[in-house]
């Protein structure tokens, strides 16, 4: 049942325990109890809102920065990553396989601002060998959500 | 001009058709009237078809269908049921279960042969029997029995002219699943009276409380059962028009004879898509089934809360509540509900006379819409009191 609850909440965090209970054929108490346990154990980290900031009129640019790192004794990937992710303009940081080691998503008001951040803060960090930046131009699908007007109903209204 | 065929003329106009015409004139209707998945076909299936088209798969296939597909279907039955069909001569790929039904009737019936069909059931069974020159003999299934027909009823309907018994569990429109013991008794009757069994198991994967009973697996059934199934429901592929029939080689050959002269073969586009579906579509369809399972509970609770007595259906994606307490006929109920609250349902009488007193509510629609629809139904029912 826990996994099913998580799937429902991941899709819509505002689904009430009452609604979930009906869908899963459980009691409200069972559902509430399970949610509370998962919140306490950190399986549910927190609830947040997906905002279309562009629609809200906020100027915003994102860039994906691939970072090549040369770890040395005492300064591993984790340490470099930490120095990077503590900056508030850093949206997310991943350790990845391939030519580059860290994939950093940086947020800023303008391209210039992001470019400066990369040149001044990221590229100059100890252990950083090189960076490669790509600016985000358009979102098609994010975290499983397709960014597109909902498709029209293709079905006939009444069928056998 | 001379009149059209008497048989065709005598088939009544579809009760669903009439409703569709009204609904399509209206705006903002929440429809619980749709008998097909709301999901689009999983992308991997559609993409496999596009790829095949780009690579020149645009030709006729064997009359029986692509051997690769027949093999995949045979593998599927071995894997899921331990049921063996030889892909060379025991499986025929059809244009949906719809074509399979027609072929089955034409392959086995002589004029005047009787076919026993439990109702309420899918709208096409009776016409298919009539078109093939047969005579449908209806037995009613009732809410008290969970909408499963009783073996005694079947036995009482058997005459010297009976040729076949038509089964279809899970059932459209009731969502009924027949217990194995009941099905076994019906199979025993078929054996005793030497009858064919047509088993339309298109909703086999859409069962929610336990295992589906595959009729040809029951002792005595294999030789005499024409199993009909397809891809429309489990893989959300209604528009592709693809299904299959499986059974003993003589019956399948007879069906193939009709098929080869009337259809040639099922469309290759749908056949290659079906190969992908049956080989790699399992998880996609499981996700849809899990979703239907949740919607099922929402709609059944909603309908009961709205004052309509409704059983928990074991399969398919239909709830079939009783509206008898409202004093309206199912036609009146459906029509007034549509005009007064803009919710479309299908009157139970469209699925046979014994569907009267019920409405079919499809839950192949989003939970938000289901919640909206049952709220409106509740308002409508309370106005009637
Ligand atoms: C019980 C039943 N059988 C057969 C069909 C037709 O299926 P197909 O799309 O494979 O022709 C339907 C469709 O609604 C159905 O409900």
């Amino acid at each position: 049942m826990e996994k099913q609850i998580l799937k429902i909440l991941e899709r819509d965090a505002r689904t009430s325990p009452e609604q979930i209970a009906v869908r899963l054929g459980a009691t409200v108490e069972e559902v509430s109890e399970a949610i509370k346990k998962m919140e306490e154990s950190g399986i549910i980290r927190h609830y947040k809102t997906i905002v279309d900031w562009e629609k809200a009129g906020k100027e915003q640019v994102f860039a994906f920065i691939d970072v090549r790192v040369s770890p040395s004794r005492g300064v591993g990937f984790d340490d470099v990553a930490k120095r990077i992710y503590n900056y508030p303009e850093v949206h997310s940081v991943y350790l990845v396989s391939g030519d580059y080691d860290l994939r950093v998503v940086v947020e800023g008001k303008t391209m210039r601002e992001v470019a400066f951040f990369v040149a001044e803060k990221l590229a100059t960090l100890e252990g950083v060998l090189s960076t490669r930046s790509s600016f985000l131009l358009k979102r098609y699908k994010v975290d499983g959500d397709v960014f597109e007007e909902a498709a029209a109903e293709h079905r006939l209204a009444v069928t056998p | 001009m001379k009149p059209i065929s008497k048989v065709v003329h005598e088939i009544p106009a579809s009760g669903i058709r009439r409703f569709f015409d009204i609904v399509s004139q209206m705006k903002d209707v929440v429809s619980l009237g749709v008998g097909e998945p709301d999901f689009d076909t999983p992308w991997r299936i559609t993409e496999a078809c596009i790829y095949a088209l780009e690579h020149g798969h645009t030709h006729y296939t064997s009359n029986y269908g692509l051997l690769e597909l027949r093999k995949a279907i045979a593998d599927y039955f071995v894997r899921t049921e331990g049921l063996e069909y030889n892909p060379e001569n025991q499986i025929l790929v059809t244009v949906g279960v719809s074509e399979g039904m027609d072929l089955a009737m034409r392959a086995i019936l002589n004029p005047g042969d009787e076919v026993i069909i439990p109702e309420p059931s899918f709208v096409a069974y009776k016409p298919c029997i009539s078109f093939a020159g047969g005579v449908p003999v209806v037995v009613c299934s009732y809410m008290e029995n969970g909408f499963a027909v009783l073996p005694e009823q079947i036995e009482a309907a058997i005459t010297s002219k009976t040729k076949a018994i038509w089964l279809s569990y899970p059932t459209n429109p009731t969502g009924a699943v027949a217990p194995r013991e009941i099905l076994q008794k019906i199979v025993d009757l078929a054996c005793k009276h030497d009858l064919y069994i047509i088993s339309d198991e298109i909703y086999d994967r859409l069962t929610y409380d336990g295992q589906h009973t595959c009729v040809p697996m029951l002792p005595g059934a294999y030789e005499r059962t024409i199993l009909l199934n397809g891809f429309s429901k489990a893989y959300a592929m209604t528009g592709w028009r693809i299904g299959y029939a499986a059974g003993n080689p003589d019956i399948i050959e007879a069906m193939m004879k009709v098929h080869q002269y009337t259809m040639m073969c099922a469309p290759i586009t749908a056949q290659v898509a079906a190969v992908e579906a049956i080989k790699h579509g399992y998880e996609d369809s499981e996700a849809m089934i899990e979703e239907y399972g949740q919607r099922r509970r929402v709609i059944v609770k909603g309908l009961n809360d709205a004052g309509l007595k409704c059983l928990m259906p074991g399969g398919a994606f239909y709830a079939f509540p009783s509206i008898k307490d409202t004093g309206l006929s199912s036609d009146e109920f459906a029509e007034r509900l549509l005009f007064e609250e803009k919710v479309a349902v299908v009157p139970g009488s469209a699925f046979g006379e014994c569907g009267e007193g019920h409405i079919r509510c499809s839950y192949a629609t989003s939970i938000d819409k289901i919640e909206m629809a049952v709220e409106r139904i509740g308002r409508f029912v309370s106005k009637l009191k």
Side-chain angles (χ1 to χ4, degrees):
Chain A
M1 185 171 82
E2 277 78 8
K3 291 244 166 59
Q4 286 174 310
I5 294 176
L6 289 173
K7 274 198 218 167
I8 292 172
L9 288 177
E10 194 182 29
R11 214 182 312 164
D12 181 358
R14 303 224 295 183
T15 316
S16 69
E18 287 76 14
Q19 287 171 308
I20 297 174
V22 175
R23 289 180 205 182
L24 301 184
T27 66
V28 180
E29 292 71 35
E30 283 167 345
V31 172
S32 300
E33 184 61 25
I35 292 176
K36 198 165 139 235
K37 273 209 186 113
M38 290 190 288
E39 285 170 351
E40 282 166 6
S41 68
I43 291 177
I44 295 177
R45 294 178 62 91
H46 58 257
Y47 303 93
K48 60 183 197 179
T49 305
I50 298 177
V51 180
D52 190 336
W53 280 111
E54 215 174 298
K55 236 184 195 157
K58 184 177 173 193
E59 290 284 324
Q60 201 184 27
V61 292
F62 281 93
F64 299 95
I65 321 294
D66 291 328
V67 182
R68 201 135 52 131
V69 176
S70 140
S72 56
R73 177 170 292 195
V75 188
F77 286 123
D78 292 353
D79 301 291
V80 180
K82 185 168 181 192
R83 295 197 60 161
I84 294 176
Y85 69 58
N86 278 329
Y87 284 106
E89 35 288 74
V90 171
H91 188 269
S92 35
V93 180
Y94 306 97
L95 178 64
V96 297
S97 65
D99 289 350
Y100 288 80
D101 304 301
L102 296 175
R103 164 151 289 200
V104 179
V105 183
V106 177
E107 183 188 340
K109 279 204 257 319
T110 61
M111 280 196 180
R112 209 181 136 79
E113 187 184 296
V114 172
F116 268 110
F117 175 77
V118 173
E120 289 179 357
K121 307 292 185 193
L122 283 194
T124 55
L125 275 180
E126 193 189 335
V128 169
L129 295 176
S130 64
T131 65
R132 178 176 68 186
S133 310
S134 331
F135 281 94
L136 186 155
L137 301 180
K138 182 172 177 181
R139 286 185 169 80
Y140 293 100
K141 185 176 183 181
V142 179
D143 293 344
D145 272 340
V146 174
F147 275 48
E148 201 181 60
E149 291 303 314
E153 175 67 85
H154 295 296
R155 299 181 300 167
L156 302 174
V158 181
T159 51
Chain B
M1 257 194 293
K2 291 184 179 172
I4 59 162
S5 142
K6 196 157 157 287
V7 173
V8 174
H9 179 73
E10 281 170 4
I11 304 276
S14 154
I16 288 188
R17 184 81 235 164
R18 188 181 80 83
F19 233 75
F20 171 72
D21 291 340
I22 308 177
V23 176
S24 44
Q25 304 289 324
M26 295 177 61
K27 271 176 114 167
D28 302 325
V29 171
V30 181
S31 184
L32 302 182
V34 191
E36 62 170 320
D38 54 321
F39 301 104
D40 289 336
T41 304
W43 179 248
R44 66 160 63 249
I45 298 172
T46 305
E47 204 274 338
C49 172
I50 296 170
Y51 180 86
L53 282 174
E54 285 171 341
H55 289 77
H57 292 272
T58 58
H59 300 273
Y60 291 132
T61 71
S62 144
N63 295 129
Y64 281 101
L66 291 172
L67 185 58
E68 189 189 4
L69 175 56
R70 285 181 278 143
K71 280 186 175 156
I73 292 167
D75 284 348
Y76 169 83
F77 278 108
V78 169
R79 214 169 52 233
T80 58
E81 301 281 351
L83 181 60
E84 297 207 10
Y85 288 112
N86 182 346
E88 300 283 347
N89 61 0
Q90 290 194 274
I91 294 173
L92 174 66
V93 177
T94 58
V95 180
V97 170
S98 299
E99 194 213 355
M101 302 182 315
D102 181 41
L103 296 178
M105 290 301 98
R106 291 208 257 174
I108 63 170
L109 294 186
N110 290 313
D113 284 351
E114 293 176 356
V115 180
I116 298 176
I117 62 169
E119 279 192 342
S121 57
F122 188 52
V123 295
Y125 298 157
K126 262 202 293 203
C128 274
I129 297 166
S130 302
F131 290 147
V135 179
V137 175
V138 170
V139 291
C140 282
S141 23
Y142 299 103
M143 196 168 182
E144 302 81 84
N145 304 323
F147 293 111
V149 73
L150 300 182
E152 303 85 87
Q153 295 177 278
I154 301 259
E155 186 156 34
I158 293 175
T159 71
S160 59
K161 293 198 193 128
T162 307
K163 192 71 167 275
I165 303 171
W166 198 314
L167 298 174
S168 156
Y169 298 102
T171 307
N172 174 7
T174 60
V177 169
R180 171 177 289 263
E181 311 77 67
I182 285 191
L183 291 172
Q184 183 63 59
K185 281 188 187 152
I186 296 173
V187 169
D188 294 344
L189 284 172
C191 294
K192 183 171 154 203
H193 297 273
D194 191 21
L195 306 175
Y196 290 101
I197 297 170
I198 318 300
S199 191
D200 174 356
E201 302 187 14
I202 193 167
Y203 293 104
D204 63 344
R205 293 278 311 283
L206 278 63
T207 46
Y208 309 104
D209 313 309
Q211 200 61 26
H212 165 73
T213 305
C214 183
V215 171
M217 277 300 283
L218 296 171
Y222 183 77
E223 275 298 310
R224 56 183 67 254
T225 301
I226 305 178
L227 175 65
L228 302 178
N229 206 332
F231 296 82
S232 285
K233 316 290 171 166
Y235 301 97
M237 290 178 69
T238 44
W240 296 81
R241 312 307 308 126
I242 184 85
Y244 53 90
N248 87 45
D250 296 336
I251 305 178
I252 293 300
E253 195 192 346
M255 289 173 67
M256 190 279 290
K257 239 184 192 168
V258 182
H259 174 79
Q260 78 180 336
Y261 294 125
T262 54
M263 199 61 71
M264 218 61 163
C265 64
I268 188 166
T269 43
Q271 293 195 53
V272 292
V275 170
E276 179 68 18
I278 204 162
K279 284 191 174 166
H280 306 294
Y282 184 80
E283 283 182 11
D284 284 322
S285 78
E286 281 298 296
M288 294 189 269
I289 292 162
E290 186 179 330
E291 179 73 24
Y292 294 135
Q294 294 184 14
R295 295 169 179 184
R296 174 182 72 132
R297 295 199 176 97
V298 174
I299 199 167
V300 170
K301 178 167 191 300
L303 289 166
N304 279 304
D305 289 351
L308 301 180
K309 206 160 89 201
C310 182
L311 301 180
M312 183 65 79
F317 38 57
Y318 309 105
F320 202 60
S322 167
I323 51 134
K324 285 179 185 144
D325 291 345
T326 65
L328 299 180
S329 75
S330 52
D331 244 357
E332 287 165 347
F333 186 96
E335 200 165 319
R336 283 186 54 184
L337 177 65
L338 180 59
F339 286 123
E340 294 173 32
E341 289 290 349
K342 295 199 168 180
V343 176
V345 298
V346 180
S349 52
F351 304 94
E353 271 169 37
C354 35
E356 180 52 53
H358 295 267
I359 51 171
R360 189 193 74 176
C361 304
S362 160
Y363 50 90
T365 195
S366 70
I367 286 195
D368 291 347
K369 287 194 183 149
I370 291 171
E371 285 172 347
M372 201 188 308
V374 292
E375 192 190 316
R376 294 185 191 184
I377 292 174
R379 199 158 57 203
F380 176 70
V381 171
S382 60
K383 265 191 309 194
L384 291 173
K385 286 192 174 141

